[in-house]
Amino acid sequence: MSHFVTRIATIEIPVSNLNNSISFYTEVLGVQTDFKGENAAMLSFHQKGVPTIYLVETKNFQQLSFNNIHSNVEHSVIDFYTPTLKDFYNWLEKKKVEVGPLNINEEGIGGFGFKDPDGNQLSACNIEHWGQ
C-alpha cells in the first residue's frame, strides 16, 4: 500500500478581522507572518514538519469547535503543544484571553481550551505524540 500524504501542511482558520487575528496569533503562539494579503495571511512556527496556519477573512464566518455528545464538552479541532502548560495557561489569563479549565492528571499530563478573538476554540496540551 502506498502512502501519498506524509504530514499536515496547513491548518486554515476562518477569521472576521484579519489584522486582529494576525496580532493575536503572532503574540499568543509566537508564529511569524510569512505572507499577508488583502484577505488572508500565512503564519509559521518556522520549524520543519510543523503545519503553517492560514488565516482567511470571511463574511460567512463559522467558529471552529464541536461538542462531544457524550460529555457535552466543547472541543477544538486544533491542539497546540507546549512543554510549559501551567505557565502558558497563566500567561493567557494575564493577557485576558478566554481560557477554559486547566486539566492535569497525576502524571502531570493535561491540557486546556482557549479562544481566539472570533471565538474559535483552540486548545493546548503538554502531550508529545509519536513522531513529534
Side-chain angles (χ1 to χ4, degrees):
M1 178 176 191
S2 184
H3 298 282
F4 296 102
V5 177
T6 59
R7 70 183 190 281
I8 296 171
T10 302
I11 298 169
E12 298 189 22
I13 300 175
V15 299
S16 64
N17 182 303
L18 185 61
N19 290 327
N20 285 351
S21 293
I22 290 171
S23 294
F24 175 85
Y25 282 89
T26 56
E27 182 177 348
V28 168
L29 299 179
V31 292
Q32 298 174 14
T33 304
D34 292 338
F35 162 82
K36 180 182 182 287
E38 195 173 312
N39 302 92
M42 185 68 71
L43 310 177
S44 172
F45 287 97
H46 283 232
Q47 294 178 23
K48 185 177 168 98
V50 176
T52 56
I53 297 171
Y54 191 56
L55 302 177
V56 181
E57 193 171 76
T58 179
K59 291 182 179 163
N60 186 19
F61 181 77
Q62 296 177 353
Q63 293 175 339
L64 296 180
S65 71
F66 64 94
N67 281 337
N68 180 321
I69 62 170
H70 300 288
S71 66
N72 203 31
V73 170
E74 185 181 16
H75 287 265
S76 70
V77 295
I78 305 167
D79 203 7
F80 294 101
Y81 170 77
T82 177
T84 56
L85 190 64
K86 288 181 186 177
D87 291 340
F88 184 47
Y89 183 86
N90 293 333
W91 183 79
L92 289 175
E93 279 190 314
K94 287 178 186 170
K95 292 288 204 182
K96 306 288 188 223
V97 173
E98 184 180 343
V99 294
L102 177 60
N103 302 301
I104 300 176
N105 66 18
E106 294 87 31
E107 292 86 34
I109 303 297
F112 64 90
F114 63 101
K115 293 189 177 185
D116 76 359
D118 286 303
N120 287 314
Q121 180 71 31
L122 307 170
S123 61
C125 72
N126 63 353
I127 303 164
E128 281 192 273
H129 299 286
W130 184 86
Q132 295 179 331

